[in-house]
mmCIF file of all heavy atoms in Angstrom:
data_model
loop_
_atom_site.group_PDB
_atom_site.id
_atom_site.type_symbol
_atom_site.label_atom_id
_atom_site.label_comp_id
_atom_site.label_asym_id
_atom_site.label_seq_id
_atom_site.Cartn_x
_atom_site.Cartn_y
_atom_site.Cartn_z
ATOM 1 N N THR A 1 -10.222 11.755 -3.010
ATOM 2 C CA THR A 1 -11.495 12.003 -2.314
ATOM 3 C C THR A 1 -11.317 12.186 -0.807
ATOM 4 O O THR A 1 -12.299 12.295 -0.072
ATOM 5 C CB THR A 1 -12.469 10.835 -2.559
ATOM 6 O OG1 THR A 1 -11.871 9.617 -2.102
ATOM 7 C CG2 THR A 1 -12.779 10.705 -4.051
ATOM 8 N N GLU A 2 -10.064 12.194 -0.350
ATOM 9 C CA GLU A 2 -9.739 12.362 1.066
ATOM 10 C C GLU A 2 -10.484 11.350 1.943
ATOM 11 O O GLU A 2 -11.226 11.704 2.867
ATOM 12 C CB GLU A 2 -10.043 13.791 1.524
ATOM 13 C CG GLU A 2 -9.254 14.835 0.749
ATOM 14 C CD GLU A 2 -9.497 16.248 1.249
ATOM 15 O OE1 GLU A 2 -10.372 16.409 2.139
ATOM 16 O OE2 GLU A 2 -8.829 17.169 0.775
ATOM 17 N N PRO A 3 -10.275 10.051 1.678
ATOM 18 C CA PRO A 3 -10.993 9.014 2.432
ATOM 19 C C PRO A 3 -10.399 8.804 3.821
ATOM 20 O O PRO A 3 -9.281 9.236 4.114
ATOM 21 C CB PRO A 3 -10.778 7.769 1.565
ATOM 22 C CG PRO A 3 -9.410 7.992 0.983
ATOM 23 C CD PRO A 3 -9.337 9.471 0.705
ATOM 24 N N ASP A 4 -11.165 8.150 4.683
ATOM 25 C CA ASP A 4 -10.654 7.716 5.984
ATOM 26 C C ASP A 4 -10.034 6.332 5.876
ATOM 27 O O ASP A 4 -9.226 5.947 6.718
ATOM 28 C CB ASP A 4 -11.787 7.687 7.018
ATOM 29 C CG ASP A 4 -12.339 9.078 7.305
ATOM 30 O OD1 ASP A 4 -11.536 10.030 7.384
ATOM 31 O OD2 ASP A 4 -13.571 9.211 7.433
ATOM 32 N N LEU A 5 -10.449 5.563 4.852
ATOM 33 C CA LEU A 5 -9.995 4.188 4.693
ATOM 34 C C LEU A 5 -9.751 3.876 3.224
ATOM 35 O O LEU A 5 -10.567 4.226 2.372
ATOM 36 C CB LEU A 5 -11.044 3.206 5.251
ATOM 37 C CG LEU A 5 -10.817 1.717 4.983
ATOM 38 C CD1 LEU A 5 -9.621 1.213 5.790
ATOM 39 C CD2 LEU A 5 -12.065 0.915 5.317
ATOM 40 N N ILE A 6 -8.630 3.224 2.946
ATOM 41 C CA ILE A 6 -8.339 2.714 1.603
ATOM 42 C C ILE A 6 -8.270 1.199 1.686
ATOM 43 O O ILE A 6 -7.593 0.644 2.555
ATOM 44 C CB ILE A 6 -6.994 3.258 1.070
ATOM 45 C CG1 ILE A 6 -7.092 4.760 0.799
ATOM 46 C CG2 ILE A 6 -6.589 2.528 -0.217
ATOM 47 C CD1 ILE A 6 -5.783 5.381 0.356
ATOM 48 N N ILE A 7 -9.002 0.520 0.798
ATOM 49 C CA ILE A 7 -8.915 -0.938 0.704
ATOM 50 C C ILE A 7 -7.986 -1.276 -0.452
ATOM 51 O O ILE A 7 -8.289 -0.959 -1.609
ATOM 52 C CB ILE A 7 -10.302 -1.565 0.489
ATOM 53 C CG1 ILE A 7 -11.221 -1.221 1.672
ATOM 54 C CG2 ILE A 7 -10.188 -3.085 0.337
ATOM 55 C CD1 ILE A 7 -12.640 -1.713 1.515
ATOM 56 N N ALA A 8 -6.843 -1.856 -0.147
ATOM 57 C CA ALA A 8 -5.825 -2.176 -1.153
ATOM 58 C C ALA A 8 -5.771 -3.693 -1.324
ATOM 59 O O ALA A 8 -5.284 -4.407 -0.454
ATOM 60 C CB ALA A 8 -4.462 -1.636 -0.713
ATOM 61 N N ASP A 9 -6.287 -4.176 -2.445
ATOM 62 C CA ASP A 9 -6.351 -5.616 -2.708
ATOM 63 C C ASP A 9 -5.174 -6.022 -3.589
ATOM 64 O O ASP A 9 -5.151 -5.711 -4.773
ATOM 65 C CB ASP A 9 -7.680 -5.950 -3.390
ATOM 66 C CG ASP A 9 -7.904 -7.450 -3.531
ATOM 67 O OD1 ASP A 9 -7.014 -8.227 -3.119
ATOM 68 O OD2 ASP A 9 -8.954 -7.847 -4.053
ATOM 69 N N GLU A 10 -4.186 -6.690 -2.998
ATOM 70 C CA GLU A 10 -2.972 -7.117 -3.712
ATOM 71 C C GLU A 10 -2.389 -5.964 -4.547
ATOM 72 O O GLU A 10 -2.268 -6.063 -5.764
ATOM 73 C CB GLU A 10 -3.283 -8.314 -4.613
ATOM 74 C CG GLU A 10 -3.800 -9.545 -3.893
ATOM 75 C CD GLU A 10 -2.712 -10.301 -3.148
ATOM 76 O OE1 GLU A 10 -1.563 -9.841 -3.125
ATOM 77 O OE2 GLU A 10 -3.034 -11.362 -2.578
ATOM 78 N N PRO A 11 -2.011 -4.848 -3.910
ATOM 79 C CA PRO A 11 -1.601 -3.656 -4.659
ATOM 80 C C PRO A 11 -0.289 -3.785 -5.431
ATOM 81 O O PRO A 11 0.006 -2.940 -6.269
ATOM 82 C CB PRO A 11 -1.481 -2.581 -3.570
ATOM 83 C CG PRO A 11 -1.151 -3.355 -2.331
ATOM 84 C CD PRO A 11 -1.935 -4.636 -2.453
ATOM 85 N N THR A 12 0.501 -4.826 -5.156
ATOM 86 C CA THR A 12 1.792 -4.956 -5.856
ATOM 87 C C THR A 12 1.846 -6.184 -6.756
ATOM 88 O O THR A 12 2.916 -6.604 -7.175
ATOM 89 C CB THR A 12 2.946 -5.020 -4.832
ATOM 90 O OG1 THR A 12 2.728 -6.109 -3.927
ATOM 91 C CG2 THR A 12 3.034 -3.732 -4.032
ATOM 92 N N THR A 13 0.691 -6.762 -7.074
ATOM 93 C CA THR A 13 0.653 -7.924 -7.962
ATOM 94 C C THR A 13 1.257 -7.592 -9.319
ATOM 95 O O THR A 13 1.013 -6.528 -9.884
ATOM 96 C CB THR A 13 -0.804 -8.399 -8.160
ATOM 97 O OG1 THR A 13 -1.321 -8.800 -6.892
ATOM 98 C CG2 THR A 13 -0.874 -9.577 -9.117
ATOM 99 N N ALA A 14 2.065 -8.508 -9.859
ATOM 100 C CA ALA A 14 2.659 -8.411 -11.205
ATOM 101 C C ALA A 14 3.748 -7.347 -11.314
ATOM 102 O O ALA A 14 4.202 -7.034 -12.414
ATOM 103 C CB ALA A 14 1.585 -8.166 -12.264
ATOM 104 N N LEU A 15 4.197 -6.800 -10.176
ATOM 105 C CA LEU A 15 5.293 -5.835 -10.211
ATOM 106 C C LEU A 15 6.576 -6.522 -9.733
ATOM 107 O O LEU A 15 6.535 -7.430 -8.903
ATOM 108 C CB LEU A 15 4.986 -4.637 -9.293
ATOM 109 C CG LEU A 15 3.730 -3.829 -9.624
ATOM 110 C CD1 LEU A 15 3.560 -2.719 -8.599
ATOM 111 C CD2 LEU A 15 3.800 -3.250 -11.034
ATOM 112 N N ASP A 16 7.720 -6.064 -10.261
ATOM 113 C CA ASP A 16 8.966 -6.680 -9.801
ATOM 114 C C ASP A 16 9.272 -6.215 -8.377
ATOM 115 O O ASP A 16 8.678 -5.266 -7.859
ATOM 116 C CB ASP A 16 10.122 -6.391 -10.759
ATOM 117 C CG ASP A 16 10.515 -4.920 -10.813
ATOM 118 O OD1 ASP A 16 10.644 -4.292 -9.743
ATOM 119 O OD2 ASP A 16 10.702 -4.389 -11.923
ATOM 120 N N VAL A 17 10.215 -6.895 -7.739
ATOM 121 C CA VAL A 17 10.463 -6.696 -6.308
ATOM 122 C C VAL A 17 10.838 -5.250 -5.988
ATOM 123 O O VAL A 17 10.380 -4.677 -4.999
ATOM 124 C CB VAL A 17 11.570 -7.652 -5.823
ATOM 125 C CG1 VAL A 17 11.906 -7.376 -4.362
ATOM 126 C CG2 VAL A 17 11.138 -9.105 -5.995
ATOM 127 N N THR A 18 11.656 -4.638 -6.815
ATOM 128 C CA THR A 18 12.088 -3.261 -6.570
ATOM 129 C C THR A 18 10.917 -2.303 -6.611
ATOM 130 O O THR A 18 10.769 -1.434 -5.735
ATOM 131 C CB THR A 18 13.141 -2.834 -7.611
ATOM 132 O OG1 THR A 18 14.251 -3.731 -7.551
ATOM 133 C CG2 THR A 18 13.618 -1.415 -7.340
ATOM 134 N N ILE A 19 10.063 -2.450 -7.619
ATOM 135 C CA ILE A 19 8.902 -1.569 -7.755
ATOM 136 C C ILE A 19 7.913 -1.826 -6.625
ATOM 137 O O ILE A 19 7.300 -0.896 -6.088
ATOM 138 C CB ILE A 19 8.211 -1.768 -9.128
ATOM 139 C CG1 ILE A 19 9.203 -1.476 -10.253
ATOM 140 C CG2 ILE A 19 6.996 -0.856 -9.246
ATOM 141 C CD1 ILE A 19 9.762 -0.066 -10.246
ATOM 142 N N GLN A 20 7.762 -3.096 -6.229
ATOM 143 C CA GLN A 20 6.885 -3.421 -5.103
ATOM 144 C C GLN A 20 7.298 -2.632 -3.868
ATOM 145 O O GLN A 20 6.457 -2.040 -3.177
ATOM 146 C CB GLN A 20 6.956 -4.916 -4.790
ATOM 147 C CG GLN A 20 6.190 -5.798 -5.740
ATOM 148 C CD GLN A 20 6.227 -7.254 -5.295
ATOM 149 O OE1 GLN A 20 6.413 -7.549 -4.121
ATOM 150 N NE2 GLN A 20 6.062 -8.163 -6.236
ATOM 151 N N ALA A 21 8.578 -2.641 -3.567
ATOM 152 C CA ALA A 21 9.078 -1.948 -2.381
ATOM 153 C C ALA A 21 8.787 -0.454 -2.462
ATOM 154 O O ALA A 21 8.405 0.172 -1.462
ATOM 155 C CB ALA A 21 10.582 -2.195 -2.230
ATOM 156 N N GLN A 22 8.960 0.124 -3.642
ATOM 157 C CA GLN A 22 8.687 1.557 -3.824
ATOM 158 C C GLN A 22 7.216 1.876 -3.597
ATOM 159 O O GLN A 22 6.881 2.868 -2.932
ATOM 160 C CB GLN A 22 9.116 1.990 -5.226
ATOM 161 C CG GLN A 22 10.612 1.926 -5.480
ATOM 162 C CD GLN A 22 10.961 2.242 -6.922
ATOM 163 O OE1 GLN A 22 10.087 2.523 -7.747
ATOM 164 N NE2 GLN A 22 12.248 2.195 -7.247
ATOM 165 N N ILE A 23 6.327 1.049 -4.151
ATOM 166 C CA ILE A 23 4.892 1.283 -4.014
ATOM 167 C C ILE A 23 4.456 1.158 -2.556
ATOM 168 O O ILE A 23 3.685 1.979 -2.036
ATOM 169 C CB ILE A 23 4.095 0.299 -4.896
ATOM 170 C CG1 ILE A 23 4.391 0.542 -6.383
ATOM 171 C CG2 ILE A 23 2.597 0.419 -4.623
ATOM 172 C CD1 ILE A 23 4.016 1.913 -6.890
ATOM 173 N N LEU A 24 4.954 0.138 -1.868
ATOM 174 C CA LEU A 24 4.591 -0.062 -0.466
ATOM 175 C C LEU A 24 5.092 1.085 0.407
ATOM 176 O O LEU A 24 4.382 1.571 1.291
ATOM 177 C CB LEU A 24 5.157 -1.385 0.043
ATOM 178 C CG LEU A 24 4.517 -2.648 -0.537
ATOM 179 C CD1 LEU A 24 5.263 -3.879 -0.058
ATOM 180 C CD2 LEU A 24 3.045 -2.738 -0.170
ATOM 181 N N LYS A 25 6.308 1.533 0.142
ATOM 182 C CA LYS A 25 6.869 2.651 0.903
ATOM 183 C C LYS A 25 6.045 3.911 0.670
ATOM 184 O O LYS A 25 5.753 4.676 1.611
ATOM 185 C CB LYS A 25 8.323 2.876 0.479
ATOM 186 C CG LYS A 25 9.038 3.966 1.271
ATOM 187 C CD LYS A 25 10.492 4.083 0.828
ATOM 188 C CE LYS A 25 11.207 5.180 1.608
ATOM 189 N NZ LYS A 25 12.638 5.309 1.188
ATOM 190 N N LEU A 26 5.648 4.154 -0.578
ATOM 191 C CA LEU A 26 4.837 5.322 -0.914
ATOM 192 C C LEU A 26 3.478 5.256 -0.227
ATOM 193 O O LEU A 26 3.023 6.236 0.379
ATOM 194 C CB LEU A 26 4.652 5.406 -2.431
ATOM 195 C CG LEU A 26 3.704 6.496 -2.946
ATOM 196 C CD1 LEU A 26 4.296 7.870 -2.684
ATOM 197 C CD2 LEU A 26 3.430 6.304 -4.437
ATOM 198 N N LEU A 27 2.821 4.106 -0.314
ATOM 199 C CA LEU A 27 1.496 3.939 0.286
ATOM 200 C C LEU A 27 1.548 4.138 1.795
ATOM 201 O O LEU A 27 0.694 4.829 2.375
ATOM 202 C CB LEU A 27 0.948 2.547 -0.051
ATOM 203 C CG LEU A 27 -0.449 2.203 0.459
ATOM 204 C CD1 LEU A 27 -1.479 3.179 -0.094
ATOM 205 C CD2 LEU A 27 -0.817 0.772 0.076
ATOM 206 N N LYS A 28 2.561 3.573 2.418
ATOM 207 C CA LYS A 28 2.695 3.697 3.874
ATOM 208 C C LYS A 28 2.946 5.148 4.273
ATOM 209 O O LYS A 28 2.353 5.647 5.239
ATOM 210 C CB LYS A 28 3.843 2.807 4.357
ATOM 211 C CG LYS A 28 3.951 2.695 5.867
ATOM 212 C CD LYS A 28 4.973 1.641 6.257
ATOM 213 C CE LYS A 28 5.013 1.445 7.761
ATOM 214 N NZ LYS A 28 5.960 0.376 8.165
ATOM 215 N N ARG A 29 3.805 5.846 3.518
ATOM 216 C CA ARG A 29 4.112 7.246 3.842
ATOM 217 C C ARG A 29 2.889 8.134 3.683
ATOM 218 O O ARG A 29 2.561 8.934 4.570
ATOM 219 C CB ARG A 29 5.243 7.750 2.944
ATOM 220 C CG ARG A 29 5.570 9.232 3.159
ATOM 221 C CD ARG A 29 6.721 9.696 2.293
ATOM 222 N NE ARG A 29 6.420 9.653 0.880
ATOM 223 C CZ ARG A 29 5.704 10.590 0.235
ATOM 224 N NH1 ARG A 29 5.187 11.622 0.907
ATOM 225 N NH2 ARG A 29 5.502 10.489 -1.062
ATOM 226 N N LEU A 30 2.188 8.003 2.558
ATOM 227 C CA LEU A 30 1.027 8.851 2.306
ATOM 228 C C LEU A 30 -0.091 8.583 3.306
ATOM 229 O O LEU A 30 -0.776 9.510 3.754
ATOM 230 C CB LEU A 30 0.526 8.645 0.880
ATOM 231 C CG LEU A 30 1.445 9.175 -0.230
ATOM 232 C CD1 LEU A 30 0.889 8.815 -1.605
ATOM 233 C CD2 LEU A 30 1.616 10.682 -0.109
ATOM 234 N N ALA A 31 -0.282 7.311 3.645
ATOM 235 C CA ALA A 31 -1.331 6.978 4.617
ATOM 236 C C ALA A 31 -1.022 7.609 5.969
ATOM 237 O O ALA A 31 -1.919 8.146 6.638
ATOM 238 C CB ALA A 31 -1.454 5.468 4.743
ATOM 239 N N LYS A 32 0.248 7.562 6.373
ATOM 240 C CA LYS A 32 0.641 8.136 7.655
ATOM 241 C C LYS A 32 0.505 9.654 7.638
ATOM 242 O O LYS A 32 -0.031 10.243 8.578
ATOM 243 C CB LYS A 32 2.081 7.737 7.978
ATOM 244 C CG LYS A 32 2.555 8.202 9.346
ATOM 245 C CD LYS A 32 3.962 7.695 9.646
ATOM 246 C CE LYS A 32 4.416 8.129 11.030
ATOM 247 N NZ LYS A 32 5.785 7.638 11.343
ATOM 248 N N GLU A 33 0.963 10.297 6.569
ATOM 249 C CA GLU A 33 0.898 11.751 6.478
ATOM 250 C C GLU A 33 -0.537 12.260 6.459
ATOM 251 O O GLU A 33 -0.840 13.321 7.002
ATOM 252 C CB GLU A 33 1.626 12.221 5.213
ATOM 253 C CG GLU A 33 3.131 12.044 5.268
ATOM 254 C CD GLU A 33 3.807 12.439 3.964
ATOM 255 O OE1 GLU A 33 3.100 12.756 2.975
ATOM 256 O OE2 GLU A 33 5.052 12.425 3.926
ATOM 257 N N ARG A 34 -1.450 11.511 5.832
ATOM 258 C CA ARG A 34 -2.830 11.956 5.679
ATOM 259 C C ARG A 34 -3.769 11.376 6.731
ATOM 260 O O ARG A 34 -4.968 11.658 6.715
ATOM 261 C CB ARG A 34 -3.332 11.594 4.275
ATOM 262 C CG ARG A 34 -2.645 12.395 3.188
ATOM 263 C CD ARG A 34 -2.954 11.876 1.801
ATOM 264 N NE ARG A 34 -2.483 12.794 0.782
ATOM 265 C CZ ARG A 34 -3.236 13.728 0.202
ATOM 266 N NH1 ARG A 34 -4.500 13.844 0.521
ATOM 267 N NH2 ARG A 34 -2.731 14.528 -0.709
ATOM 268 N N GLY A 35 -3.252 10.532 7.619
ATOM 269 C CA GLY A 35 -4.100 9.953 8.644
ATOM 270 C C GLY A 35 -5.138 9.000 8.089
ATOM 271 O O GLY A 35 -6.266 8.927 8.589
ATOM 272 N N VAL A 36 -4.750 8.249 7.051
ATOM 273 C CA VAL A 36 -5.672 7.324 6.386
ATOM 274 C C VAL A 36 -5.354 5.892 6.830
ATOM 275 O O VAL A 36 -4.192 5.493 6.876
ATOM 276 C CB VAL A 36 -5.541 7.426 4.849
ATOM 277 C CG1 VAL A 36 -6.462 6.430 4.162
ATOM 278 C CG2 VAL A 36 -5.849 8.837 4.383
ATOM 279 N N SER A 37 -6.390 5.127 7.146
ATOM 280 C CA SER A 37 -6.212 3.708 7.444
ATOM 281 C C SER A 37 -6.172 2.920 6.144
ATOM 282 O O SER A 37 -6.846 3.282 5.173
ATOM 283 C CB SER A 37 -7.362 3.189 8.313
ATOM 284 O OG SER A 37 -7.382 3.860 9.562
ATOM 285 N N VAL A 38 -5.376 1.867 6.112
ATOM 286 C CA VAL A 38 -5.272 1.016 4.928
ATOM 287 C C VAL A 38 -5.626 -0.418 5.309
ATOM 288 O O VAL A 38 -5.040 -0.983 6.231
ATOM 289 C CB VAL A 38 -3.851 1.053 4.330
ATOM 290 C CG1 VAL A 38 -3.765 0.113 3.115
ATOM 291 C CG2 VAL A 38 -3.473 2.467 3.909
ATOM 292 N N LEU A 39 -6.611 -0.972 4.617
ATOM 293 C CA LEU A 39 -6.956 -2.386 4.766
ATOM 294 C C LEU A 39 -6.319 -3.114 3.595
ATOM 295 O O LEU A 39 -6.768 -3.010 2.460
ATOM 296 C CB LEU A 39 -8.475 -2.576 4.753
ATOM 297 C CG LEU A 39 -8.984 -4.031 4.816
ATOM 298 C CD1 LEU A 39 -8.506 -4.707 6.098
ATOM 299 C CD2 LEU A 39 -10.505 -4.059 4.739
ATOM 300 N N LEU A 40 -5.242 -3.833 3.870
ATOM 301 C CA LEU A 40 -4.450 -4.491 2.832
ATOM 302 C C LEU A 40 -4.802 -5.971 2.745
ATOM 303 O O LEU A 40 -4.768 -6.685 3.744
ATOM 304 C CB LEU A 40 -2.964 -4.336 3.142
ATOM 305 C CG LEU A 40 -1.981 -5.058 2.216
ATOM 306 C CD1 LEU A 40 -1.905 -4.349 0.871
ATOM 307 C CD2 LEU A 40 -0.589 -5.115 2.851
ATOM 308 N N THR A 41 -5.161 -6.417 1.556
ATOM 309 C CA THR A 41 -5.391 -7.838 1.313
ATOM 310 C C THR A 41 -4.197 -8.382 0.538
ATOM 311 O O THR A 41 -3.857 -7.849 -0.521
ATOM 312 C CB THR A 41 -6.672 -8.055 0.487
ATOM 313 O OG1 THR A 41 -7.778 -7.472 1.173
ATOM 314 C CG2 THR A 41 -6.934 -9.541 0.284
ATOM 315 N N THR A 42 -3.543 -9.404 1.057
ATOM 316 C CA THR A 42 -2.362 -9.931 0.380
ATOM 317 C C THR A 42 -2.117 -11.387 0.767
ATOM 318 O O THR A 42 -2.518 -11.839 1.844
ATOM 319 C CB THR A 42 -1.116 -9.093 0.726
ATOM 320 O OG1 THR A 42 0.017 -9.589 0.004
ATOM 321 C CG2 THR A 42 -0.801 -9.143 2.219
ATOM 322 N N HIS A 43 -1.455 -12.112 -0.129
ATOM 323 C CA HIS A 43 -0.976 -13.462 0.175
ATOM 324 C C HIS A 43 0.517 -13.428 0.522
ATOM 325 O O HIS A 43 1.104 -14.456 0.850
ATOM 326 C CB HIS A 43 -1.181 -14.390 -1.030
ATOM 327 C CG HIS A 43 -2.617 -14.707 -1.296
ATOM 328 N ND1 HIS A 43 -3.439 -13.892 -2.031
ATOM 329 C CD2 HIS A 43 -3.384 -15.740 -0.897
ATOM 330 C CE1 HIS A 43 -4.647 -14.436 -2.089
ATOM 331 N NE2 HIS A 43 -4.639 -15.555 -1.408
ATOM 332 N N ASP A 44 1.121 -12.260 0.426
ATOM 333 C CA ASP A 44 2.557 -12.102 0.627
ATOM 334 C C ASP A 44 2.824 -11.656 2.057
ATOM 335 O O ASP A 44 2.569 -10.500 2.415
ATOM 336 C CB ASP A 44 3.089 -11.057 -0.374
ATOM 337 C CG ASP A 44 4.602 -10.933 -0.342
ATOM 338 O OD1 ASP A 44 5.222 -11.303 0.674
ATOM 339 O OD2 ASP A 44 5.165 -10.444 -1.344
ATOM 340 N N LEU A 45 3.347 -12.559 2.881
ATOM 341 C CA LEU A 45 3.597 -12.226 4.280
ATOM 342 C C LEU A 45 4.702 -11.181 4.426
ATOM 343 O O LEU A 45 4.710 -10.412 5.385
ATOM 344 C CB LEU A 45 3.949 -13.486 5.065
ATOM 345 C CG LEU A 45 2.789 -14.469 5.277
ATOM 346 C CD1 LEU A 45 3.285 -15.729 5.971
ATOM 347 C CD2 LEU A 45 1.686 -13.825 6.084
ATOM 348 N N GLY A 46 5.635 -11.152 3.471
ATOM 349 C CA GLY A 46 6.669 -10.124 3.503
ATOM 350 C C GLY A 46 6.070 -8.740 3.338
ATOM 351 O O GLY A 46 6.457 -7.783 4.015
ATOM 352 N N THR A 47 5.106 -8.623 2.429
ATOM 353 C CA THR A 47 4.399 -7.355 2.227
ATOM 354 C C THR A 47 3.645 -6.954 3.490
ATOM 355 O O THR A 47 3.683 -5.802 3.914
ATOM 356 C CB THR A 47 3.411 -7.475 1.049
ATOM 357 O OG1 THR A 47 4.147 -7.679 -0.154
ATOM 358 C CG2 THR A 47 2.551 -6.240 0.918
ATOM 359 N N ALA A 48 2.966 -7.923 4.102
ATOM 360 C CA ALA A 48 2.220 -7.649 5.326
ATOM 361 C C ALA A 48 3.155 -7.153 6.427
ATOM 362 O O ALA A 48 2.826 -6.222 7.172
ATOM 363 C CB ALA A 48 1.479 -8.898 5.780
#
């Protein structure tokens, strides 16, 4: 929908560490390329 903001609530819950890293890298790249802000909710300080 070409949003200005994505709210990501614990987007890597229940995924193993390798897949978590891939998802976070993908989300960060796409957000930067498209100029989208991401509001991330997480309990994982490493993810933050």
Side-chain angles (χ1 to χ4, degrees):
T1 58
E2 300 183 354
D4 294 320
L5 172 70
I6 292 176
I7 299 176
D9 188 359
E10 300 285 4
T12 57
T13 298
L15 300 178
D16 66 46
V17 176
T18 302
I19 301 300
Q20 283 184 24
Q22 294 175 1
I23 296 299
L24 291 174
K25 184 178 180 180
L26 174 67
L27 182 59
K28 188 172 184 177
R29 177 178 65 80
L30 291 176
K32 184 176 182 180
E33 290 176 355
R34 292 170 170 265
V36 178
S37 298
V38 178
L39 176 60
L40 175 73
T41 303
T42 183
H43 290 84
D44 186 338
L45 290 175
T47 295

